[in-house]
Amino acid sequence: VALVAQTLGHIGGGEAIDCLLGLAQSSQDYERLHALDALRNANAVLPCSSLLPGLESLSTRKIATELLGDSEDPKAPEYLLAMMEDAMLGVRSSAVRGLAKIDENSADERSAQTRQSIESRKEKLLPILWALSGDRDPNVARLACHLLIYCPDPRSLEVLLDQEPERWALEVAIEI
């Protein structure tokens, strides 16, 4: 299964993606994991509905969350925001990356909706964003700090100023 999924991911194209989507709906985590990995490698842009089974499993949740960040589905930001509250750090990091990607790459309306969704969940997201702003992956830390702009809070300044004197942390602090 792993080899077939990997090969289909390298081949790419509509038929290969369709086969991998079918495999991604499998009840077997092993099969779903390899299908989602191959879809990620094929740079597939998927609707949220095809990723829901992957979001429900501990073994596939991180990859499914990564794929949500590439989705053009208008529901993707809501799912990513929900994944920000996941118990697994890797899933939360993937959700931050996905939200930042949507914010940077989307049309103004979709980006504005994402920002409003972040702001509406401010109290839940602030502690998560604060924790991720200190992530050992500097890209995750930078993106988490960037998302703090959309839920301004004076307590965020302290978190930002505690960062290494990174230019991006200071820029976000100034914007807040």
Side-chain angles (χ1 to χ4, degrees), residues 36-59:
L36 291 172
D37 186 47
L39 287 163
R40 177 180 58 187
N41 291 336
N43 298 314
V45 178
L46 306 171
C48 292
S49 59
S50 64
L51 297 170
L52 293 180
L55 293 174
E56 295 171 2
S57 168
L58 289 175
S59 59

Side-chain angles (χ1 to χ4, degrees), residues 41-164:
N41 291 336
N43 298 314
V45 178
L46 306 171
C48 292
S49 59
S50 64
L51 297 170
L52 293 180
L55 293 174
E56 295 171 2
S57 168
L58 289 175
S59 59
T60 57
R61 192 173 292 154
K62 183 176 183 278
I63 292 176
T65 302
E66 289 175 20
L67 287 165
L68 275 174
D70 294 322
S71 178
E72 295 173 355
D73 191 318
K75 296 177 184 173
E78 290 300 320
Y79 285 108
L80 286 166
L81 285 166
M83 299 316 290
M84 290 275 299
E85 298 177 37
D86 194 85
M88 294 171 47
L89 176 61
V91 173
R92 293 192 307 268
S93 297
S94 293
V96 164
R97 284 188 190 102
L99 285 167
K101 192 182 297 184
I102 288 171
D103 185 45
E104 292 173 9
N105 298 332
S106 295
D108 290 337
E109 182 180 325
R110 188 164 178 224
S111 185
Q113 289 172 341
T114 301
R115 293 172 185 182
Q116 289 172 347
S117 294
I118 292 169
E119 190 174 343
S120 72
R121 290 183 166 92
K122 176 181 174 176
E123 292 309 313
K124 280 188 174 182
L125 291 180
L126 277 174
I128 296 166
L129 290 171
W130 292 334
L132 288 171
S133 71
D135 196 89
R136 66 178 176 216
D137 178 343
N139 193 39
V140 170
R142 181 182 59 79
L143 295 172
C145 287
H146 173 75
L147 293 176
L148 283 171
I149 293 170
Y150 307 127
C151 40
D153 187 288
R155 298 170 292 176
S156 295
L157 293 174
E158 184 178 329
V159 171
L160 290 166
L161 296 175
D162 281 345
Q163 299 298 324
E164 294 295 320

